[in-house]
Amino acid sequence: MRRFLPDTFTLLLVATVVFASFLPARGVIADWLDVLVDIMIGLVFFLHGARLSRDVVIAGFLHWRLHLAILGTTFVLFPVIGLALGLVPESLLPRSLYLGLLYLCLLPSTIQSSIAFTSMAGGNVPAAVCAASASNIFGMFLTPFLVGLLFSAGGHGSFSFDALQQILLQLFAPFVLGQVLQPWIGNWVRARKALLTPIDRGSILLVVYLAFGKAVLEGIWSNYTVADLAVVVGLDMLILALVLTATMYGSRKLGFSKPDEITITFCGSKKSLASGVPMANVIFAGQPIGAILLPLMLFHQIQLMACAVIAQGYARKARRAAAASGAVEPAKVAA
């Protein structure tokens, strides 16, 4: 049953929302925290750039069919599903929460958990490293563009070149700098993952605290009912089920090997909280983003629970197949 329980980070997210609900940041404190958030987010993307080995990127990009499948799922199939959710009556799904679901559908894939689940299930890990990283790199451009395009199409906003410029300065520029310095500091950064993880997660928690603090001051909890949250959870589960089905069975129809099927399933079905929170902070600057982030935070835990079960299922099948064939352990397939 432990695989269905929230992980430590999810519990910290819940605690952060509760704390922000009772003690939101105000005035000068909120201004200083905004500056600290900008610094921490820039540092996070610098570290992402420094961690990523160029050899892995070059080797992974050679598997172009797999990467097209994942990018197509992430930036085409997901947005189509997000647009379709606009058909849900506003009496069931408040518009602000729908915008959060639509924003969720426009985000890049996760990096750490996609790779971890791919490895657990016996998938193509080098390709997963490259695919998840590429998704986040492309996402720095595609997510703000898609937000502007689809939000404006629905009358919810318009494309902002200022937001794109801010993302390039705050997220992409530190990433590029990390890549430039990667040959000299990459090994040092990768060897200190346990030390640097708090920076990554701490920035997310701080943005969530500020976002929900501002939302609380604007009356977020008086605007939504338990039924509204239940609808969001149900739609999050529906989105994930549709994409998992499409990636799992679609990759088989396209003739991918089992390790590649696993990689496409996990990298194509995930959405990144680590990228989504700072992007929302930039794209929706000056606007209340508590409702925008709420569907993403719920989806984060749902995808972790579902993918843990699926990864263990893949691993069990591989062990049974290996035992039936007399092998000691299932073969690992590299990119």
Side-chain angles (χ1 to χ4, degrees):
M1 292 297 295
R2 287 191 302 174
R3 65 192 178 192
F4 295 104
L5 297 176
D7 62 353
T8 302
F9 183 58
T10 300
L11 294 176
L12 288 174
L13 277 174
V14 173
T16 300
V17 170
V18 172
F19 185 70
S21 298
F22 289 97
L23 291 172
R26 305 168 184 263
V28 177
I29 294 177
D31 293 338
W32 278 105
L33 287 178
D34 280 328
V35 174
L36 180 60
V37 163
D38 291 341
I39 295 172
M40 290 186 68
I41 289 173
L43 181 58
V44 165
F45 279 82
F46 169 78
L47 294 174
H48 281 318
R51 287 172 183 160
L52 188 58
S53 168
R54 293 179 190 174
D55 292 337
V56 170
V57 172
I58 294 171
F61 268 113
L62 296 177
H63 204 343
W64 61 270
R65 288 182 67 245
L66 179 143
H67 298 304
L68 281 179
I70 293 171
L71 290 173
T73 302
T74 303
F75 295 113
V76 178
L77 177 60
F78 260 111
V80 169
I81 294 173
L83 286 175
L85 293 180
L87 299 175
V88 178
E90 193 170 342
S91 58
L92 290 177
L93 179 66
R95 176 173 294 185
S96 53
L97 291 178
Y98 164 66
L99 294 180
L101 287 166
L102 180 58
Y103 175 68
L104 153 72
C105 290
L106 307 181
L107 290 172
S109 179
T110 63
I111 296 180
Q112 290 92 338
S113 59
S114 291
I115 296 168
F117 286 127
T118 299
S119 177
M120 183 190 306
N124 189 335
V125 175
V129 172
C130 179
S133 301
S135 178
N136 277 263
I137 295 170
F138 286 122
M140 293 183 202
F141 302 93
L142 289 176
T143 295
F145 173 75
L146 289 171
V147 167
L149 181 67
L150 299 186
F151 276 48
S152 61
H156 309 302
S158 59
F159 180 75
S160 171
F161 284 101
D162 289 338
L164 180 59
Q165 182 181 22
Q166 285 299 313
I167 286 177
L168 292 178
L169 290 174
Q170 190 173 347
L171 308 184
F172 189 65
F175 179 89
V176 171
L177 180 59
Q179 268 288 284
V180 170
L181 298 178
Q182 189 273 334
W184 296 278
I185 66 174
N187 290 335
W188 185 89
V189 172
R190 286 187 289 270
R192 287 158 179 80
K193 181 179 179 181
L195 179 65
L196 299 175
T197 296
I199 299 175
D200 196 342
R201 296 189 170 186
S203 66
I204 297 174
L205 294 174
L206 191 53
V207 172
V208 168
Y209 169 69
L210 284 172
F212 270 87
K214 293 175 182 177
V216 166
L217 294 176
E218 293 166 0
I220 184 173
W221 296 128
S222 60
N223 294 332
Y224 306 117
T225 65
V226 174
D228 293 331
L229 298 181
V231 169
V232 172
V233 170
L235 291 175
D236 273 343
M237 295 172 68
L238 175 62
I239 293 169
L240 184 60
L242 290 173
V243 177
L244 282 171
T245 301
T247 51
M248 191 178 298
Y249 293 101
S251 56
R252 295 175 189 173
K253 291 290 186 181
L254 291 173
F256 284 98
S257 66
K258 180 62 68 174
D260 287 347
E261 173 197 320
I262 292 169
T263 302
I264 293 170
T265 297
F266 290 120
C267 294
S269 64
K270 309 293 275 305
K271 288 297 181 178
S272 176
L273 184 68
S275 295
V277 169
M279 281 189 183
N281 202 44
V282 175
I283 294 173
F284 304 103
Q287 305 176 46
I289 62 172
I292 293 288
L293 293 179
L294 189 57
L296 175 60
M297 291 171 58
L298 294 171
F299 188 85
H300 169 78
Q301 180 58 29
I302 293 168
Q303 71 182 4
L304 289 180
M305 292 190 297
C307 289
V309 174
I310 294 170
Q312 290 169 11
Y314 271 121
R316 282 194 300 270
K317 289 180 181 178
R319 287 194 296 269
R320 285 197 296 266
S325 63
V328 175
E329 60 180 24
K332 298 289 184 180
V333 180

